[in-house]
Amino acid sequence: MDDKGQLEWSLWKPFTESAAWTTYLLPGLADTLKAASLAMVIALPLGAVLGIARMSDHRWVRASAGTVVEFFRAIPVLLLMLFANEFFARSTDVSTEDRPMYAVVTGLVLYNASVLAEVVRAGILALPRGQTEAAQAIGLRKGQTMSTILLPQAVTVMLPAIVTQLVVIVKDTALGGVMLGFTELLNARGTLAANYANVIQSFIVVAIIYIVLNYLITSFASWLEARLRRSKRSTGVALGPDDVHDLNAAEVGGTHGAGADNT
């Protein structure tokens, strides 16, 4: 790079000025985060519904959900974005400016909801069967068992895979920038490089931004997972000496009462 003059300060200097960030990189990063957030917020509950539906007692529900999951999981996410873009262009009144965002989010939702459906299903099936049997023993219906017992416990199991998929969503927004003109981070980098003639430098800076962003996501997920595990290990409220004394007194009283009844 030094031999080719790529380490010259003039090529790196724009990144020390606010104009390069406020005009190009930060707006692109904002669009990346907006598309990724919308896709995850929609895909996660949709994937949970599809994953639960695949375990339904009704055959037609299982078959329908399985068809949807396998169909959209088999299609490349870029192709889904292109189909969505054509659909919005020909069948809706979405403006030309908003169409790339709609297409990117739609493609990400369809693909990642299908992947998350399998994550949810695997997370629930990984739980001990005794959880379901205990719930049935106390009279809970299947829906109650799923919502109050299985899903809350499966969250900890599913969290690493969900975070991995979130990182994939953040990176896949770049496909919309390349093919649909969506003004995400990588697309904004191209405009910046055209103005400052620093292609390699802009690629390096954007790569660092992606690394930092995904590191923050995974770090937050690790913290959340550890917190969830600690909360599940805590089974009750800590008792003080007075509480223990009261419990012992009640136990002794109950024993004496039982002995008096037996006599």
Side-chain angles (χ1 to χ4, degrees), residues 29-45 101 104-105 108-109 166 169-170 173 213 217:
L29 178 60
D31 282 346
T32 293
L33 294 176
K34 182 179 178 181
S37 300
L38 285 173
M40 195 63 182
V41 167
I42 300 172
L44 187 55
M101 169 70 80
V104 168
V105 172
L108 290 174
V109 166
L166 177 57
I169 289 176
V170 171
T173 57
L213 178 60
I217 293 173

Side-chain angles (χ1 to χ4, degrees), residues 239-254:
L239 298 180
D242 295 337
D243 298 320
V244 175
H245 180 270
D246 292 340
L247 287 173
N248 290 335
E251 183 178 354
V252 171

Side-chain angles (χ1 to χ4, degrees), residues 36-55 65 68-70 72-74 80 105 107-125 151 154-155 157-170 172:
S37 300
L38 285 173
M40 195 63 182
V41 167
I42 300 172
L44 187 55
L46 181 58
V49 170
L50 290 172
I52 294 171
R54 293 204 70 178
M55 296 183 291
V68 171
V69 168
E70 296 300 331
F72 286 112
R73 196 172 58 160
L80 290 174
V105 172
L108 290 174
V109 166
L110 293 175
Y111 177 78
N112 289 281
S114 302
V115 175
L116 289 170
E118 290 301 286
V119 172
V120 170
R121 188 167 73 99
I124 294 174
L125 292 177
L151 273 179
V155 168
V157 178
M158 297 184 296
L159 195 56
I162 291 175
V163 173
T164 299
Q165 208 58 35
L166 177 57
V167 171
V168 171
I169 289 176
V170 171
D172 281 350

